Amino acid sequence: MDFLSEFFAEYGYWGMGIASFLAGTFFPFSSEAVMAALLVTSNMDPVITVMSGTIGNVIGSMVNYWIGSAATPDHISKWFGIKKKRLDKAQIYVQHYGSWMGFFSFIPILGTAISLALGVLRANVWGTLISTFLGKCLRYVIVAYSVMAIK
């Protein structure tokens, strides 16, 4: 883990974006921990850090959306290890609430299923992009504010 911490710290805002991208896809990764570490150990601007994290994380979720739109639910369950039951539950919410479910794609594990389900159901891409951006940005603002309040 020290290697990863040093890597992200060395690349600053780009490192934050990369960490967030990985966390936004199906990789089990905590971009919040990276953000907290970067804000505590460096002089990085919190606003730019939040934006680089948000952009990376949204791109990761949109990759999930694209994968979902190109695959069947059975493929997604098989390839990504997301239980069919969890994906079915995410699809029910997406069918009911539409692309605005992207707001909740910041939720660990379930967020990946939501992004994939949005793609499978071909939810409006612009609505998905905007709602995903809002949810992820709000989450990073809360993390950054909390870290800066403690720092």
Side-chain angles (χ1 to χ4, degrees):
M1 188 66 178
D2 288 335
F3 168 75
L4 287 177
S5 298
E6 289 176 20
F7 173 82
F8 296 130
E10 181 177 331
Y11 287 96
Y13 302 117
W14 284 102
M16 183 67 226
I18 293 167
S20 297
F21 170 77
L22 292 174
T25 60
F26 48 87
F27 291 105
F29 196 79
S30 176
S31 59
E32 295 88 353
V34 172
M35 176 178 279
L38 289 174
L39 290 173
V40 167
T41 61
S42 69
N43 290 327
M44 291 176 60
D45 182 280
V47 173
I48 299 172
T49 304
V50 165
M51 290 313 298
S52 63
T54 300
I55 291 167
N57 211 242
V58 169
I59 292 170
S61 286
M62 294 311 289
V63 166
N64 292 341
Y65 175 94
W66 175 77
I67 291 169
S69 69
T72 66
D74 291 332
H75 288 128
I76 291 168
S77 182
K78 180 180 174 184
W79 295 339
F80 300 108
I82 297 174
K83 295 178 181 170
K84 183 107 169 77
K85 183 179 177 181
R86 186 177 300 262
L87 191 58
D88 290 342
K89 189 174 183 178
Q91 283 184 316
I92 290 168
Y93 284 113
V94 168
Q95 286 173 336
H96 188 268
Y97 296 106
S99 61
W100 290 105
M101 279 303 296
F103 182 86
F104 299 102
S105 64
F106 68 86
I107 299 170
I109 300 170
L110 184 59
T112 300
I114 289 171
S115 297
L116 289 165
L118 286 164
V120 168
L121 295 172
R122 310 295 193 278
N124 180 287
V125 70
W126 292 109
T128 299
L129 180 65
I130 291 167
S131 63
T132 300
F133 180 86
L134 292 173
K136 290 177 182 276
C137 185
L138 179 62
R139 182 221 19 223
Y140 283 130
V141 166
I142 292 169
V143 169
Y145 181 79
S146 300
V147 169
M148 298 311 287
I150 295 170
K151 185 178 173 182

